[in-house]
């Protein structure tokens, strides 16, 4: 009988030790998850694909930017970032969840209030030259944006419609 009790006790202790070991492994796994996440975020991610022709930014030129901003917030629910200084006054930007958005600025007379869609392109210089060769008129030569946020250019397409181009480089 004593042997049987000793065997039962040994089995019980072995099960208890096994449960402790499993519990320790679970804790260890939980602790290592943040390290794995840190390693994964440290890996280089592929640069986002260029979406040629996609309108990624719309610029609004307004005779009263503050009133236009208030209206867009109220009616359209747009969320604006803090205004950025520009030579013509504050530049108010907004962005949607899909990565598109735009900016609102004062129009520069004789420029009439209006909007300019900016299409994403792979190469700003090549696209600008191609647009001019195809009959567009130069409005704004390719220029790098401050802060390394890419390049822009604007042309008037045949018929007079202003079209902007944006590229990472």
């Amino acid at each position: 009988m004593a042997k049987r009790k000793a065997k039962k006790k040994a089995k019980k202790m072995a099960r208890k030790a096994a449960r402790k070991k499993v519990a320790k492994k679970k804790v260890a796994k939980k602790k290592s998850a943040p390290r794995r996440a840190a390693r994964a975020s440290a890996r280089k991610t592929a640069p986002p694909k260029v979406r040629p022709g996609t309108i990624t930014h719309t610029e609004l030129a307004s005779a009263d930017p503050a009133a236009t901003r208030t209206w867009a917030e109220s009616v359209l629910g747009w969320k604006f970032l803090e205004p950025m200084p520009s030579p013509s006054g504050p530049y108010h930007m907004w962005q949607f969840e899909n990565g598109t958005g735009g900016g609102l600025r004062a129009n520069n007379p004789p420029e009439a209030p209006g909007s300019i869609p900016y299409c994403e392109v792979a190469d700003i210089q090549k696209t600008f030259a191609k647009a001019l060769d195809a009959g567009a008129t130069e409005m704004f030569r390719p220029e790098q944006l401050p802060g390394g946020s890419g390049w822009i250019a604007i042309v008037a397409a045949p018929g007079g419609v202003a079209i902007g181009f944006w590229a990472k480089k």
Side-chain angles (χ1 to χ4, degrees):
M1 187 88 146
K3 270 188 172 180
R4 215 184 273 170
K5 274 188 175 181
K7 270 187 176 182
K8 271 187 176 182
K9 192 173 184 177
K11 281 184 181 180
K12 191 175 182 180
M13 288 176 67
R15 281 192 299 255
K16 195 174 185 179
R19 279 195 299 264
K20 275 187 176 181
K21 205 175 198 180
V22 168
K24 278 185 180 181
K25 282 183 180 179
K26 284 182 181 178
V27 169
K29 282 183 182 180
K30 285 181 184 176
K31 285 181 181 177
S32 66
R35 277 188 254 142
R36 274 189 300 227
R39 280 191 303 248
S41 67
R43 288 186 206 128
K44 265 200 162 179
T45 57
K49 290 185 178 182
V50 174
R51 302 165 294 177
T54 301
I55 296 173
T56 57
H57 185 88
T58 301
E59 186 168 80
L60 304 177
S62 171
D64 187 348
T68 303
R69 177 182 172 152
T70 301
W71 178 87
E73 288 172 327
S74 171
V75 175
L76 303 173
W78 292 0
K79 306 282 187 236
F80 286 84
L81 306 173
E82 285 297 315
M84 297 181 342
S86 79
S88 63
Y91 192 79
H92 308 269
M93 290 186 69
W94 74 91
Q95 186 170 13
F96 301 118
E97 289 178 13
N98 68 357
T100 65
L104 169 62
R105 63 173 174 79
N107 65 305
N108 299 304
E111 173 192 30
S115 65
I116 301 173
Y118 283 81
C119 299
E120 187 170 343
V121 298
D123 184 311
I124 196 92
Q125 301 292 345
K126 285 182 183 177
T127 304
F128 186 73
K130 184 178 179 179
L132 297 179
D133 288 346
T137 306
E138 176 183 317
M139 292 179 72
F140 186 83
R141 298 186 64 67
E143 188 173 295
Q144 189 170 18
L145 295 168
S149 54
W151 289 73
I152 62 168
I154 306 170
V155 298
V161 176
I163 302 287
F165 302 127
W166 174 83
K168 284 195 178 274
K169 54 182 177 171

